[in-house]
Amino acid sequence: MTTTRTQFEKRLAELRRDAQELTRKDFAHLAGVAEKTVRNWLDADPDFASKARTGPRRVQLFPFDEGAQWVRKKLFGPDEMAPEVSPGPRLAAEPHHMPHTPGERWRWVDMARLRGVTPTAVRLLAADYRDHPERPFPPRDEYDRMFDASEVSAWFLWYDTTRPGYTGPRPAEIAAESGTKETRRKEVIRRLNTAIDKGEDLTTQVLAVELGVSADVAARYLRQAAEAVLPERGLISRSQIAERLPKTSATLTPDQRRERVKTLLKRKNAPAPVITVADTPYYNETAIAELLTPSA
């Protein structure tokens, strides 16, 4: 397996900004393997495969965190833990000094209350950093067994800022990315509507260049925009045409239905695609309905 942990975590961070669930294609991207390999993994793990729900166009969608951990274990071993799981208190949403008064002294329970964790979590973190070469956890007074609040506050500011042991974004960063993501979605929706109005195709590659993102990210934005815009504009894809074939075609297999659609679209009176989005042609739903209506 050529995918390194660094590559995996970088790809995962990119996906986390743009998705709440993962597809088989996402798994292949994360692992750096072919989708066929992912299918084999899923076939061999029916318990995990059963966690998928069916999304638009019958795409399998898996819970994000469980899916990421599943791929991580496939790549790096069954005992591999997510790097976001830290033995110490979680990071603050944003780095800041823990509030205290001059000369104040803290117990474990005081620190835990301010951090929103258990005293045990703070003690474990202090033990991990007791002998740190640059930033040892502040020592406890040998007489009252308490800590200088200003020293502890400064140490946690360093901890929150440098994020030792953490690779994922903090809550504040996730929120910021979420805002960016929503802005991008609206931007792509406007771009797709403009393309329809002008009668021009919109490919993943073109959108990736316009947005300055990777092709995978652009494809995700474009898919989300298509799901929101195309039904409202009365446009359907070839696969949706197959679903609308007359009841007399009910006995046809999926392959036969696709071939039937191809034949229909070759007719002289067949409508041309209104737009091609990410290599998929879309047709006017009303025009297709007329095409599918049996002649009197």
Side-chain angles (χ1 to χ4, degrees), residues 137-284:
F137 195 86
R140 185 158 60 167
D141 189 278
E142 60 180 307
Y143 297 107
D144 65 10
R145 309 300 292 165
M146 298 179 72
F147 297 83
D148 182 285
S150 64
E151 293 180 357
V152 173
S153 178
W155 188 89
F156 270 107
L157 178 63
W158 167 81
Y159 178 74
D160 290 332
T161 303
T162 59
R163 306 170 62 176
Y166 289 80
T167 59
R170 346 182 138 77
E173 293 170 332
I174 293 174
E177 287 294 345
S178 177
T180 300
K181 178 173 63 176
E182 186 60 28
T183 299
R184 278 288 174 83
R185 284 177 178 170
K186 292 179 180 178
E187 180 182 351
V188 176
I189 286 175
R190 286 195 296 270
R191 178 67 177 85
L192 180 54
N193 273 309
T194 299
I196 295 173
D197 292 338
K198 293 184 176 180
E200 60 183 31
D201 297 337
L202 183 57
T203 67
T204 298
Q205 291 73 22
V206 167
L207 185 64
V209 172
E210 292 180 359
L211 297 180
V213 299
S214 69
D216 287 339
V217 172
R220 188 180 304 280
Y221 280 131
L222 193 51
R223 182 173 66 248
Q224 293 168 346
E227 292 172 358
V229 172
L230 299 180
E232 291 184 356
R233 300 295 296 261
L235 301 175
I236 60 175
S237 66
R238 282 196 177 194
S239 62
Q240 292 171 308
I241 296 174
E243 296 170 359
R244 288 165 167 74
L245 287 173
K247 293 182 179 179
T248 54
S249 303
T251 59
L252 298 178
T253 66
D255 286 341
Q256 289 173 329
R257 296 174 78 85
R258 284 192 289 270
E259 288 302 318
R260 176 61 177 155
V261 170
K262 287 183 181 179
T263 300
L264 288 170
L265 292 176
K266 289 179 181 178
R267 289 182 177 180
K268 291 183 179 179
N269 64 332
V274 174
I275 187 174
T276 297
V277 180
D279 301 323
T280 299
Y282 285 83
Y283 300 80
N284 180 281

Side-chain angles (χ1 to χ4, degrees), residues 3-158:
T3 300
T4 66
R5 283 180 173 81
T6 299
Q7 290 172 326
F8 175 87
E9 298 302 336
K10 180 179 180 182
R11 294 168 187 168
L12 181 62
E14 292 174 348
L15 287 172
R16 191 181 295 278
R17 290 194 292 265
D18 301 297
Q20 296 180 338
E21 295 172 292
L22 295 174
T23 65
R24 290 187 299 181
K25 184 176 180 180
D26 292 330
F27 290 156
H29 174 62
L30 280 172
V33 299
E35 288 191 53
K36 181 178 180 181
T37 300
V38 173
R39 288 197 295 271
N40 292 338
W41 287 351
L42 290 169
D43 289 342
D45 192 350
D47 287 341
F48 176 74
S50 68
K51 297 179 183 295
R53 73 176 183 87
T54 301
R57 300 182 188 177
R58 300 179 183 177
V59 174
Q60 285 184 296
L61 299 171
F62 295 83
F64 193 101
D65 291 331
E66 289 185 61
Q69 185 67 353
W70 182 74
V71 176
R72 187 183 281 109
K73 289 180 178 179
K74 290 293 182 184
L75 290 175
F76 309 121
D79 297 325
E80 181 70 15
M81 293 296 291
E84 288 83 357
V85 179
S86 169
R90 57 182 174 269
L91 294 165
E94 295 181 356
H96 63 275
H97 280 287
M98 296 161 66
H100 61 278
T101 59
E104 186 175 353
R105 302 180 70 74
W106 284 340
R107 301 163 297 168
W108 296 119
V109 68
D110 298 317
M111 299 178 217
R113 176 176 51 81
L114 289 168
R115 299 291 301 187
V117 297
T118 65
T120 299
V122 181
R123 283 198 297 269
L124 290 174
L125 182 66
D128 286 342
Y129 284 87
R130 183 181 296 117
D131 299 319
H132 192 277
E134 297 177 3
R135 284 285 185 168
F137 195 86
R140 185 158 60 167
D141 189 278
E142 60 180 307
Y143 297 107
D144 65 10
R145 309 300 292 165
M146 298 179 72
F147 297 83
D148 182 285
S150 64
E151 293 180 357
V152 173
S153 178
W155 188 89
F156 270 107
L157 178 63
W158 167 81

